[in-house]
Amino acid sequence: MDIKDRVDKLKSFVEAADYAGYDPFDALNSPFVKAVSSRSKTLRMVFTQLLRRSPVNLRSVLSVEKGHNPKGIGLFLGGYAKLYSLNNDESLKPEIEYLLELLESLKAVGYSGNSWGYNFDWQSRTTFRPKGTPTIVNSSFIGHALLDCYELTGSQRALEMALPIRDFILNDIKRVDEGQTFGFSYTPVDNSVVHNANMMGASIIIRLNKYAPDQSAHQLALAALAYSMNHQESDGSWYYADTDCQKWIDSFHTGFNLQALRYIIADGEGAEYLRNYESGVEFYADNFFLNDGTPKYYYNKIYPVDIHSPAQAIYFFSGMGEKYLTLTENVLRWMLNHMQSPEGYFYFRKGRLHTNKICYMRWSQAWAFHALVEYMFQKQSVLKSVKPG
């Protein structure tokens, strides 16, 4: 299982595509769909789910154009920074600069600091978010990628782009109070508190505090973290959110929660949640994977296997050391054997009887790249830590 060859093949594919592509949720980029559904939440949701679930890619028929998704660009940036660090490969520097340029050009307009949204209108179960509306999830993941880029390549520009993300979260994102704690909203236009979004927002504020100390911001981040920790279930799990229509427990959002908490603990905060973290990791490892590495979508349901499920598992468990090495490699092997095409790109979803092979740039390629490079990065870190006897 030559990971480098697999990564090189994916890297060549996404570079040839200029990191642009379709997205599972981009139906409202169709002029036809937009015109028909402009006054109907129901129709917006129907068209979005129709294109997301269709095994046939209808986007060219509906005039949906390929585009650059900011979150995908951020994930690629973080991956390139780690690839660079493996061998100090100077040939990657121009690509890193190009990705930074793309992120600069894709910033949301009219908000505090730096922030990023999606390159399509988006109708969720609860809220309509117009194209470009910044989200705490996108901005946090991009922020972590920018900090990785700064720490691994020395790019001052990456640090300068990351620091103002805190202003966006603290000034524009709403807060839903609960006692002495609060949850950050998903975007500036709604009051929806989603645990992975809230925890990722807290994690980037805490990580940024190392470079620009602000005690008030730091305390706000800890209060937001406390909100989601108070909502952790006794078995270590979290619901996606706590509204009646969002009470599900899936694999990759569980992984995002734990990734955010790991960032915070690694920065010397959240020690009181260490046992919660360990319980969450145990729940994640014990409930979302079959013995052969098949990743389950929900803790109580296997299909459809979404590419996010193995990708986030590989990313997270790669950093968990020897205890989870077998799990990591089983999931890695499964993903490479079942989800990568001969052309190098990764499929969207695998069902019991059918695999949806539509190529999505942000949802599939960026996450697969993010995961595979992290596996290589962590593996080399372990080798470097082993000193000759």
Side-chain angles (χ1 to χ4, degrees):
M1 186 170 52
D2 193 327
I3 302 302
K4 184 179 183 302
D5 286 348
R6 299 294 193 116
V7 170
D8 286 345
K9 204 166 188 179
L10 175 58
K11 179 173 170 289
S12 296
F13 179 88
V14 299
E15 287 179 0
D18 189 33
Y19 310 99
Y22 296 124
D23 193 273
F25 296 91
D26 62 8
L28 300 183
N29 275 351
S30 161
F32 167 75
V33 171
K34 181 171 285 191
V36 170
S37 65
S38 62
R39 297 184 180 182
S40 171
K41 170 185 174 180
T42 300
L43 283 177
R44 288 195 294 268
M45 292 185 67
V46 166
F47 277 112
T48 298
Q49 292 303 316
L50 175 65
L51 262 68
R52 185 174 77 93
R53 295 171 185 271
S54 173
V56 178
N57 195 348
L58 304 172
R59 288 166 178 79
S60 60
V61 175
L62 295 171
S63 300
V64 176
E65 296 182 358
K66 295 179 180 181
H68 289 119
N69 186 290
K71 187 176 180 183
I73 300 302
L75 293 171
F76 284 126
L77 174 68
Y80 272 84
K82 288 176 181 176
L83 276 183
Y84 168 83
S85 75
L86 292 177
N87 300 297
N88 292 324
D89 186 351
E90 293 294 325
S91 69
L92 296 175
K93 282 287 188 73
E95 214 64 31
I96 290 171
E97 285 301 317
Y98 177 60
L99 292 168
L100 287 170
E101 286 283 352
L102 277 177
L103 283 176
E104 185 72 40
S105 70
L106 294 168
K107 288 192 304 187
V109 177
Y111 296 90
S112 304
N114 286 345
S115 60
W116 291 265
Y118 290 118
N119 58 322
F120 46 79
D121 290 344
W122 174 31
Q123 178 67 65
S124 73
R125 300 184 189 196
T126 58
T127 310
F128 176 70
R129 289 122 175 177
K131 177 179 179 179
T133 303
T135 80
I136 194 170
V137 169
N138 285 15
S139 302
S140 298
F141 270 104
I142 291 170
H144 283 298
L146 288 167
L147 290 181
D148 287 344
C149 184
Y150 169 68
E151 292 171 1
L152 295 171
T153 75
S155 171
Q156 192 67 31
R157 181 181 187 183
L159 178 61
E160 290 170 356
M161 289 175 67
L163 290 174
I165 293 172
R166 183 170 63 188
D167 296 331
F168 162 68
I169 297 174
L170 296 181
N171 295 331
D172 296 330
I173 291 293
K174 298 177 183 178
R175 302 172 197 172
V176 177
D177 293 330
E178 186 176 85
Q180 299 300 308
T181 74
F182 67 85
F184 285 121
S185 68
Y186 206 96
T187 75
V189 301
D190 65 71
N191 291 298
S192 175
V193 179
V194 172
H195 290 301
N196 77 91
N198 180 56
M199 293 173 74
M200 287 302 296
S203 73
I204 191 61
I205 292 172
I206 288 173
R207 192 174 175 194
L208 287 168
N209 203 59
K210 177 167 56 178
Y211 300 101
D214 183 321
Q215 187 61 23
S216 175
H218 186 70
Q219 291 304 312
L220 288 170
L222 292 178
L225 174 63
Y227 174 96
S228 287
M229 298 312 298
N230 289 344
H231 284 267
Q232 186 181 25
E233 300 297 309
S234 60
D235 60 5
S237 67
W238 285 268
Y239 290 115
Y240 174 75
D242 293 298
T243 61
D244 290 340
C245 67
Q246 295 173 300
K247 279 198 166 185
W248 67 79
I249 302 171
D250 69 72
S251 62
F252 53 88
H253 288 111
T254 298
F256 297 164
N257 293 345
L258 292 167
Q259 183 177 331
L261 189 50
R262 185 166 69 185
Y263 278 128
I264 292 166
I265 292 172
D267 276 334
E269 300 293 343
E272 67 270 33
Y273 301 124
L274 184 57
R275 179 55 199 145
N276 300 69
Y277 173 70
E278 293 169 347
S279 174
V281 173
E282 290 168 8
F283 181 86
Y284 189 23
D286 292 346
N287 289 276
F288 288 105
F289 310 96
L290 302 185
N291 290 335
D292 66 351
T294 302
K296 297 157 63 176
Y297 194 108
Y298 299 104
Y299 77 100
N300 57 355
K301 180 182 177 183
I302 298 174
Y303 297 107
V305 178
D306 188 292
I307 187 63
H308 266 44
S309 298
Q312 177 58 21
I314 292 164
Y315 185 93
F316 181 79
F317 287 112
S318 290
M320 292 300 294
E322 185 70 24
K323 181 178 179 180
Y324 293 102
L325 179 60
T326 298
L327 173 60
T328 305
E329 295 193 341
N330 283 347
V331 177
L332 174 65
R333 187 177 298 107
W334 187 93
M335 187 176 86
L336 294 176
N337 288 341
H338 292 90
M339 300 295 277
Q340 190 171 25
S341 70
E343 294 85 359
Y345 72 87
F346 281 77
Y347 304 138
F348 173 41
R349 283 183 166 181
K350 180 176 177 59
R352 190 182 300 276
L353 300 174
H354 176 267
T355 299
N356 185 323
K357 298 183 178 181
I358 297 174
C359 176
Y360 293 121
M361 190 59 68
R362 184 258 314 192
W363 192 269
S364 305
Q365 313 327 315
W367 275 100
F369 188 76
H370 176 70
L372 295 177
V373 173
E374 179 70 7
Y375 175 83
M376 294 171 63
F377 180 77
Q378 293 294 342
K379 190 171 184 179
Q380 178 159 306
S381 296
V382 169
L383 292 174
K384 284 182 177 179
S385 69
V386 177
K387 298 179 181 179

